[in-house]
Amino acid sequence: MTQSLACDVLVVGGGPAGCAAAYWSARAGRDVVLIERASHPRERVCGDALTPVAVGELIDMGCDPSAARWHRHRGLRITAHGQSLEVTWPKGGPSPGYGIVVRRPRLDALMSVRAQSAGARVLTGTEVTAPLITDGHLRGCTAIATGAGSVPEGPVVAHARYVVIADGPRSNFGRALGTVRTRTYAQGLAMRAYYPTPRHAEPWIESVFALTDHAGSQLPGYGWVFPVGDGTANVGVGLLSHHYGNEAISLERLFEQWTTQIPDRWEIDRAGPHSAPAGGRLPMGGSVRPRSGPNWVVVGDAAGSVNPWNGDGIGPALTTGRLAAEVIGRALDADDGLELRHYEAALAARWQRYHHLGRLTTRALGQPGLMRKLTQLAIRSPRMGNLAMRVSTDLLASKAGPIGPRGIYRAASGVARLWRHRT
C-alpha cells in the first residue's frame, strides 16, 4: 500500500544542509517532512573538521559540542617548505573561537535528531525516486521505503507546497528539475582514510602544502591531518581540478604520495588505516545554477556551495539550509511563491564576492609557480598566515583588521587577475 504524506515543506536529503533546513522550518511552526535514503549511522566521505563558522551554526541549532564530547581544536597548523605556523581561530564576532572534529555518522545522526526535536517528520531508509510533477508544477516526490529505516517498506508519495533539494553533489533530484554545474568552475577532488595515532587529541588541525606533480611543481591542493579524539586521525588529500596543463593525476596515487609525507610528529602507522581510503568530488563556489524555482530551492553540496578555498562543505551547508528555511517561511506567510526569488539574493549577499574571488584564485593557482610563492609567503609571516587562514575559512568578519573584508577582496582580486595576465 502506498503511504501518502502532505506537508508545507519537503526536504529531499538528510545531510547537514537538509537537516538545517528542516530544523529551522519546523522550529518556525511549519509542517516539515524530511526524506533520507540511508539509515543512521551512515557513512559519508568528509574531512570531519568543522570551522568556527559551522560550529556557530550548530550551537544556534541547540547542538552542544561539549556535551556531545566532540574533539575541540583551537586553530590551524600550516606546514610548507619545511616550516610550520600555528594560527589560532579568531575570537569575537558571530563565531566561537574554536572548531571541532567529529565523524560524519555522529554529526548527521545528531542533526537528524535535532530536526525531529523541532517537529520535523524524518523518513530514513527511504529513497526518493523522482519529482512529482502535475501540470508542469512540482508537487512533491515519489519514493520507496526499504523497511530498514523509520517507515514500513513500500512506495511513498509526498505532497508539499515547497521543496528543499539537499541530495548532495550528484543531486539527481535537482538535475531532474534542470539544475546544472558550471563546468568552467573548478571543483575539488578529495580522498581520506582514518589512521590510528597516539596524537589523536592534539589541539590543532594541520594542513600540509607539499603536493607535487611528476615534474616537481607544487600542485593547488593540500594534505591534511585532523585529529578526531577517538584514537584516530582523519588523513586526507584535496586537489583543485584546475591545474597547469590539466595533467591527469590519479587521486589514489596522490593519496599514496601524501601518506609518505605525513609529518612524523603525528606518529601515524602509514601501513595501517582502519578502512580503505574513500574519495569524491566537491562542486564549489556556487557552481550550480539555478538554485531556486517556482516552489523549490537547492542547498548545500547540491547547490555547489562548497568553499572554493579549502573544500569545506559543512559550514556552507548549514548556512544555506538556514537561508532556505527563512525564505520559504516568508513565502508561506505571504502565500506567494515569488518570495523564493529572494533566495538567490540572499546567497549573493552572503557569498557573491567571496565566491568570485575564490574562482579567480583557483584559476590562478593552476598556473605554475603561484602556489609555491603564496605558501612561502604565508609560512614566513605570521600576519600573512593569519590572513590566509581567515580568508580560506570565511572568517574575515571576525576581527578582519583595519583594511576590512572589502579592501582585502579588492586587493586579492587584483593580484589574482594580474597573475593570470602575466601567465
Side-chain angles (χ1 to χ4, degrees), residues 31 36 39 79 195 219 372 392 411:
D31 185 6
E36 163 58 38
S39 299
T79 297
Y195 285 79
L219 291 168
R372 182 175 182 82
S392 65

Side-chain angles (χ1 to χ4, degrees), residues 10-34:
L10 169 66
V11 181
V12 179
C19 285
Y23 171 84
W24 290 110
S25 293
R27 186 181 175 188
R30 317 303 177 184
D31 185 6
V32 181
V33 170
L34 182 152

Side-chain angles (χ1 to χ4, degrees), residues 9-22 33-37 42 44 104 108 128 163-175 177 179 291 296-305 316-318 320-322 324 328 343:
V9 183
L10 169 66
V11 181
V12 179
C19 285
V33 170
L34 182 152
I35 300 181
E36 163 58 38
R37 68 177 180 178
R42 63 174 200 169
R44 287 292 183 270
R104 278 293 299 277
D108 289 2
V128 172
V163 178
V164 177
I165 302 168
D167 56 344
R170 295 181 182 273
S171 191
N172 293 330
F173 198 95
R175 299 298 182 266
L177 296 177
T179 66
R291 293 170 294 190
W296 51 268
V297 296
V298 193
V299 298
D301 288 358
S305 65
L318 296 172
T320 55
R322 188 173 188 169
I328 289 175
Y343 180 63

Side-chain angles (χ1 to χ4, degrees), residues 2 6 23 94 124 141 144 150 171 201 204 224 235 242 257 276 291 295 301 306-307 350 357 391 399:
T2 299
Y23 171 84
T124 59
C141 75
I144 294 291
S150 60
S171 191
W204 303 95
W224 71 73
V235 176
H242 286 346
Q257 171 191 326
R291 293 170 294 190
N295 68 331
D301 288 358
V306 172
N307 187 328
R350 176 64 177 81
L357 177 56
V391 172
K399 293 187 178 179

Side-chain angles (χ1 to χ4, degrees), residues 242-280:
H242 286 346
H243 52 89
Y244 182 66
N246 288 318
E247 176 192 354
I249 296 177
S250 162
L251 195 57
E252 290 79 6
R253 181 170 64 83
L254 196 64
F255 183 84
E256 292 176 3
Q257 171 191 326
W258 156 237
T259 59
T260 68
Q261 299 173 294
I262 298 172
D264 291 338
R265 60 175 156 264
W266 289 102
E267 301 178 42
I268 284 175
D269 181 1
R270 297 168 177 83
H274 278 181
S275 58

Side-chain angles (χ1 to χ4, degrees), residues 37-260:
R37 68 177 180 178
S39 299
H40 295 293
R42 63 174 200 169
E43 193 65 35
R44 287 292 183 270
V45 177
C46 185
D48 299 336
L50 277 63
T51 68
V53 171
V55 176
E57 289 286 345
L58 289 176
I59 291 173
D60 286 348
M61 291 178 62
C63 299
D64 183 351
S66 298
R69 297 185 178 180
W70 294 341
H71 179 56
R72 183 180 295 200
H73 52 86
R74 70 166 69 113
L76 172 67
R77 180 188 295 127
I78 305 169
T79 297
H81 315 295
Q83 296 178 266
S84 292
L85 176 66
E86 293 177 347
V87 186
T88 57
W89 297 118
K91 296 181 180 179
S95 302
Y98 65 91
I100 59 174
V101 182
V102 54
R103 292 202 188 200
R104 278 293 299 277
R106 293 185 63 194
L107 175 64
D108 289 2
L110 178 60
M111 292 200 62
S112 180
V113 170
R114 292 304 302 156
Q116 292 178 74
S117 71
R121 289 177 281 169
V122 177
L123 281 60
T124 59
T126 306
E127 183 170 4
V128 172
T129 53
L132 181 62
I133 298 176
T134 305
D135 298 328
H137 190 72
L138 178 65
R139 306 292 183 182
C141 75
T142 57
I144 294 291
T146 64
S150 60
V151 292
E153 181 179 0
V156 176
V157 175
H159 296 85
R161 297 177 65 184
Y162 294 96
V163 178
V164 177
I165 302 168
D167 56 344
R170 295 181 182 273
S171 191
N172 293 330
F173 198 95
R175 299 298 182 266
L177 296 177
T179 66
V180 63
R181 184 179 72 85
T182 304
R183 298 189 179 277
T184 56
Y185 292 4
Q187 65 176 332
L189 311 172
M191 177 168 283
R192 65 96 176 102
Y194 294 98
Y195 285 79
T197 171
R199 314 294 295 181
H200 65 94
E202 281 284 298
W204 303 95
I205 59 174
E206 182 164 9
S207 295
V208 182
F209 296 87
L211 307 178
T212 59
D213 61 16
H214 72 286
S217 297
Q218 189 168 343
L219 291 168
Y222 64 97
W224 71 73
V225 182
F226 297 157
V228 185
D230 63 354
T232 69
N234 183 311
V235 176
V237 62
L239 178 70
L240 289 170
S241 63
H242 286 346
H243 52 89
Y244 182 66
N246 288 318
E247 176 192 354
I249 296 177
S250 162
L251 195 57
E252 290 79 6
R253 181 170 64 83
L254 196 64
F255 183 84
E256 292 176 3
Q257 171 191 326
W258 156 237
T259 59
T260 68

